[in-house]
Amino acid sequence: MKKKGHVLWNVLIVVTVIICLFAFVLHYKNWTKTDASGLKVLSGFYLQEVPFSALDSVVFVEKIPPMVRLNGFSAFDKEKGVFQDFKDSLTDKKVYVYVDNFENQKIKIIHHDSLKLFINLKDSTDTQQLFDLLSSKLSVEPN
């Protein structure tokens, strides 16, 4: 009987470690995918789809502005989650943040007239390539 108790605890510990590793892998980096219609960003529980036709502006920024975190996390040089502007706290306008490296520039994307998304990737050259792609789609798409 005593041995079954130890087996149960061992299985529980292994399952917990596997779940934690899975969550870490999902949040480890921003998983981006572009196709003919738009950009998809997945990081853990956070998924954003931005159609190229809905892009309003794409600019580089050094820092993200101070905001209220509705949910998400900051760890080491990463910040991910859903935020709200201090100045726009009366409305339900959400700001999505997918920052893999605080040191590098971030891309500020405004889409669907007023929705904001801040993103950068671990590698600054990948971030630059994403910026160039989004900028080219912005100038091609009709308003």
Side-chain angles (χ1 to χ4, degrees):
M1 195 66 154
K2 203 172 194 180
K3 189 171 184 169
K4 284 192 179 223
H6 291 293
V7 171
L8 177 65
W9 284 111
N10 288 341
V11 169
L12 187 61
I13 289 170
V14 168
V15 168
T16 302
V17 168
I18 289 171
I19 290 171
C20 290
L21 286 173
F22 183 69
F24 173 75
V25 168
L26 283 177
H27 287 91
Y28 175 70
K29 70 175 203 164
N30 294 325
W31 305 92
T32 59
K33 179 183 176 189
T34 55
D35 56 19
S37 63
L39 168 71
K40 292 179 184 162
V41 182
L42 173 68
S43 183
F45 304 111
Y46 306 105
L47 171 68
Q48 270 293 287
E49 296 183 25
V50 180
F52 293 137
S53 60
L55 287 174
D56 293 316
S57 75
V58 177
V59 295
F60 267 129
V61 294
E62 289 296 321
K63 294 172 98 178
I64 58 175
M67 295 181 281
V68 176
R69 180 179 313 162
L70 299 176
N71 60 52
F73 69 94
S74 293
F76 305 109
D77 60 344
K78 298 179 186 316
E79 179 140 29
K80 306 201 179 177
V82 180
F83 293 75
Q84 188 173 33
D85 279 329
F86 279 128
K87 62 185 174 193
D88 202 15
S89 61
L90 297 176
T91 65
D92 286 336
K93 299 281 184 187
K94 294 178 179 159
V95 179
Y96 297 90
V97 177
Y98 300 94
V99 174
D100 269 345
N101 189 340
F102 275 127
E103 300 299 317
N104 295 341
Q105 289 184 319
K106 293 99 183 135
I107 302 172
K108 177 183 177 182
I109 301 169
I110 298 179
H111 60 100
H112 291 98
D113 293 328
S114 62
L115 296 176
K116 294 179 189 171
L117 181 139
F118 291 92
I119 185 172
N120 79 354
L121 305 173
K122 195 98 174 139
D123 185 9
S124 61
T125 57
D126 291 340
T127 303
Q128 182 66 49
Q129 289 174 351
L130 180 61
F131 177 80
D132 293 342
L133 173 72
L134 293 171
S135 296
S136 70
K137 296 296 183 180
L138 180 65
S139 61
V140 170
E141 294 295 328
N143 290 342

